Amino acid sequence: MAQAVLAKTEYAYDPRTRLTIVLCLSSLSVFISDVRWLLGIFAAAFLLTLLFKGKILFAVKQFKWLLPMFVMLCFAQSLFGAAEGVLLQLGSLKLLSIYGIRQAALFSLRIVIVVLSATILLPESSRRMIQALSQMHCPYELAFMVTTAVRFMSVIREEFSNSLHAVQMRGADLKHIPMDKRMKVYTYILLPVMSSTLFRARQLSISLDLRGFRRSKERSSYFRLKMSAKDWMIIILALAITVACLLIYFL
Amino acid sequence: MQKENVKNFIELRNVCFAYPNASFSLENIDLNIKARGITLLCGPNGSGKSTICKLITGILQPTSGTLRIDGENALQMTLAQRGRKIGFLFQNPAQQIFAPEVSEELAFIPRLLGMPENEIEARSNELLQFFGLQKHKNSPTFFLSRGEKQRLAMAGILFMRPPFLILDEPTTGLDEENRQKLADLLHKLLEQGTGILLISHDEPFAAQFPDAEIITIKDGRIAN
């Protein structure tokens, strides 16, 4: 039955293949600290996201805050970082430096690569993802928790957005109030969002227990994922390229 | 006869809306909602009642059409500007309560907007009294019952004295006693001249407002 239901949707790649690609791209972006290299990894991440039908538009929407963050980091890193290539100075204060711009670019590129590559996982169903993690010998409980936590992200976002709408619907124009008051609003909103999320998590765990979750130690599944030759090739290639990149970069 | 003399507060003309990746859509909605009295928006689940409310309040934006609130082009108004004219009670009142304490919940937004403390205190006491929440003044909001949360959310909305209210399924999860309290409260507000758009498919509750103008919506279209 499960096989029949899941077979209705066409999946071109195994979830483990997608996980490997995401792992490789994220690892490269974390270990490599060179802007030119990171630009190359970004290009690869972009192409792979297209190939694996990841959600590029979804990722772009998450980057709205990236430009202000980049500007802020440029100044902060210039002010407190190494005095390399100072471009703008006020007395003894280094306002803008090559070092600051480079550090901000590194941070921004890393974030972009991680978010973009993470969208490669989005086309997968949570059932297939749990099964993939289980077949990778990850404990079922852990696999279930990971996918449930991912599902909760959208719940938290919706709750936060509802609370923000509620505040504004009571006449407070958040764009036109001072930053300290705006921060207070966000702090206030976080409280009910977190409490309601915890409440939902508690209800979910009670409901799971009532339905016999973890009743038996051994859990079997009729549905099994099978890796195709294409999946194996992509995984081997991805791992080989990642190791090669790291060796070339560090040696 | 008297109803006809009351001006329209909300006007929707050829309003269309579609959720991305969903088959449901609102098509060419034309609505006139009076500034005073009660208008009942009814229809089956998923017919588009809540979507219309979210379009009016600005939480969602129509794909085409015009929307006027109190004579002004609402599509050029911010959420806050619409909020000063329309109080919106969410389907789940817990979603619009954000302060840890009841008194703080009422005072938070007015303080943010710079209202004098003595006025905040006076209005808070008046509303707590009106909604029967005086004894919960210093209670944590998280532990209030659903009915109490709903009354608190309503008090929070009415604090800024909006001339119009939109109530989205306000009787969901309320017992008979709380439903009656809500009906009494709405009658009081109507007497005070507040306009109300009530979304409900709770027929016995709606029957308590025999003067209500009824708009039925079905499959994203106005049915009457």
Side-chain angles (χ1 to χ4, degrees):
Chain A
M1 182 68 180
Q3 194 89 47
V5 170
L6 288 160
K8 277 184 187 169
T9 319
E10 286 291 322
Y11 290 97
Y13 302 97
D14 190 279
R16 286 163 289 186
T17 311
R18 292 176 185 273
L19 279 168
T20 309
I21 297 287
V22 174
L23 186 73
C24 290
L25 288 169
S26 312
S27 306
L28 284 172
S29 70
V30 169
F31 288 117
I32 289 176
S33 299
D34 185 298
V35 174
R36 285 163 300 177
W37 274 79
L38 283 178
L39 280 171
I41 298 165
F42 166 70
F46 187 80
L47 290 175
L48 286 166
T49 309
L50 282 178
L51 178 71
F52 283 87
K53 293 189 168 54
K55 301 196 174 174
I56 290 179
L57 276 177
F58 172 83
V60 170
K61 281 181 191 168
Q62 315 304 311
F63 298 145
K64 279 186 283 189
W65 52 272
L66 203 65
L67 189 64
M69 178 67 86
F70 175 80
V71 174
M72 203 181 80
L73 275 172
C74 275
F75 287 113
Q77 291 286 345
S78 302
L79 203 61
F80 303 110
E84 181 194 333
V86 177
L87 299 172
L88 191 64
Q89 200 160 4
L90 187 70
S92 61
L93 292 176
K94 310 180 295 293
L95 292 180
L96 192 63
S97 68
I98 298 285
Y99 173 83
I101 295 171
R102 192 168 55 228
Q103 291 303 108
L106 282 175
F107 172 82
S108 307
L109 274 169
R110 276 188 186 126
I111 294 284
V112 169
I113 293 167
V114 169
V115 174
L116 197 60
S117 60
T119 67
I120 289 174
L121 296 174
L122 290 180
E124 282 298 340
S125 72
S126 61
R127 177 68 189 92
R128 278 170 57 88
M129 198 55 85
I130 291 172
Q131 188 61 27
L133 290 168
S134 295
Q135 284 180 227
M136 288 163 79
H137 303 290
C138 171
Y140 183 82
E141 288 83 353
L142 196 62
F144 187 84
M145 276 194 291
V146 169
T147 50
T148 309
V150 171
R151 203 187 68 183
F152 256 79
M153 292 306 287
S154 62
V155 175
I156 294 174
R157 216 168 68 161
E158 196 188 321
E159 294 262 344
F160 194 77
S161 155
N162 278 334
S163 296
L164 266 183
H165 287 145
V167 169
Q168 291 178 87
M169 282 301 299
R170 279 169 65 182
D173 202 341
L174 291 181
K175 283 183 185 163
H176 298 108
I177 59 171
M179 183 58 95
D180 58 328
K181 286 186 176 176
R182 206 184 308 172
M183 292 312 292
K184 199 176 173 192
V185 173
Y186 289 134
T187 319
Y188 257 64
I189 288 174
L190 271 177
L191 185 80
V193 169
M194 293 318 293
S195 63
S196 98
T197 308
L198 287 172
F199 186 67
R200 279 199 198 194
R202 186 166 167 264
Q203 281 179 320
L204 183 66
S205 64
I206 292 170
S207 148
L208 281 170
D209 277 342
L210 288 171
R211 288 164 67 183
F213 188 69
R214 291 196 303 180
R215 194 176 56 182
S216 51
K217 282 183 184 171
E218 290 298 318
R219 190 186 171 93
S220 59
S221 174
Y222 175 70
F223 169 60
R224 302 286 296 173
L225 289 165
K226 282 181 191 158
M227 298 265 276
S228 66
K230 184 175 66 178
D231 287 308
W232 281 115
M233 271 176 59
I234 294 172
I235 289 176
I236 292 167
L237 200 65
L239 290 173
I241 292 172
T242 305
V243 172
C245 284
L246 290 173
L247 286 174
I248 294 167
Y249 180 75
F250 285 108
L251 295 179
Chain B
M1 195 67 192
Q2 199 184 351
K3 263 186 198 174
E4 284 169 13
N5 297 329
V6 179
K7 65 165 186 170
N8 290 332
F9 190 76
I10 299 168
E11 293 174 337
L12 281 84
R13 293 280 172 274
N14 296 318
V15 168
C16 299
F17 175 79
Y19 286 102
N21 308 321
S23 56
F24 171 80
S25 63
L26 286 178
E27 284 172 37
N28 297 320
I29 299 290
D30 279 317
L31 270 184
N32 289 325
I33 298 166
K34 303 277 184 217
R36 291 168 74 104
I38 186 162
T39 306
L40 178 67
L41 186 59
C42 53
N45 284 342
S47 56
K49 303 184 297 291
S50 294
T51 304
I52 288 181
C53 288
K54 286 178 182 170
L55 288 169
I56 294 171
T57 51
I59 293 172
L60 295 174
Q61 293 297 327
T63 42
S64 65
T66 56
L67 170 58
R68 300 187 79 80
I69 295 174
D70 200 13
E72 289 178 49
N73 180 3
L75 300 179
Q76 289 176 348
M77 291 161 81
T78 62
L79 268 177
Q81 285 168 332
R82 293 192 204 195
R84 282 171 212 140
K85 291 180 183 287
I86 298 173
F88 182 37
L89 183 74
F90 286 33
Q91 205 164 9
N92 178 5
Q95 283 178 340
Q96 60 195 121
I97 293 172
F98 43 85
E101 273 186 17
V102 169
S103 54
E104 181 67 8
E105 173 65 25
L106 294 182
F108 183 68
I109 298 287
R111 271 197 196 121
L112 206 65
L113 298 173
M115 191 183 276
E117 277 302 318
N118 54 352
E119 196 177 341
I120 292 174
E121 185 68 24
R123 278 203 206 183
S124 288
N125 287 333
E126 183 192 331
L127 283 164
L128 289 170
Q129 193 80 40
F130 186 77
F131 285 95
L133 291 166
Q134 197 73 41
K135 64 177 178 184
H136 296 295
K137 189 175 180 179
N138 298 314
S139 306
T141 52
F142 190 72
F143 297 109
L144 296 177
S145 70
R146 187 178 171 113
E148 287 163 348
K149 276 184 183 164
Q150 195 189 51
R151 277 181 277 147
L152 177 61
M154 191 88 106
I157 291 164
L158 291 174
F159 202 103
M160 303 309 288
R161 297 178 179 160
F164 198 88
L165 285 181
I166 297 181
L167 313 175
D168 190 1
E169 302 281 7
T171 54
T172 309
L174 291 189
D175 59 20
E176 196 51 48
E177 190 190 340
N178 276 308
R179 278 148 55 114
Q180 193 52 52
K181 276 184 188 170
L182 180 68
D184 294 342
L185 167 72
L186 296 188
H187 280 297
K188 274 187 199 170
L189 289 170
L190 285 168
E191 278 167 24
Q192 288 171 6
T194 308
I196 296 173
L197 173 62
L198 174 67
I199 290 148
S200 180
H201 47 218
D202 180 347
E203 286 179 20
F205 182 76
Q208 301 201 42
F209 304 95
D211 295 336
E213 193 165 326
I214 298 171
I215 299 167
T216 310
I217 184 160
K218 198 176 176 189
D219 300 327
R221 289 162 191 266
I222 303 293
N224 64 336

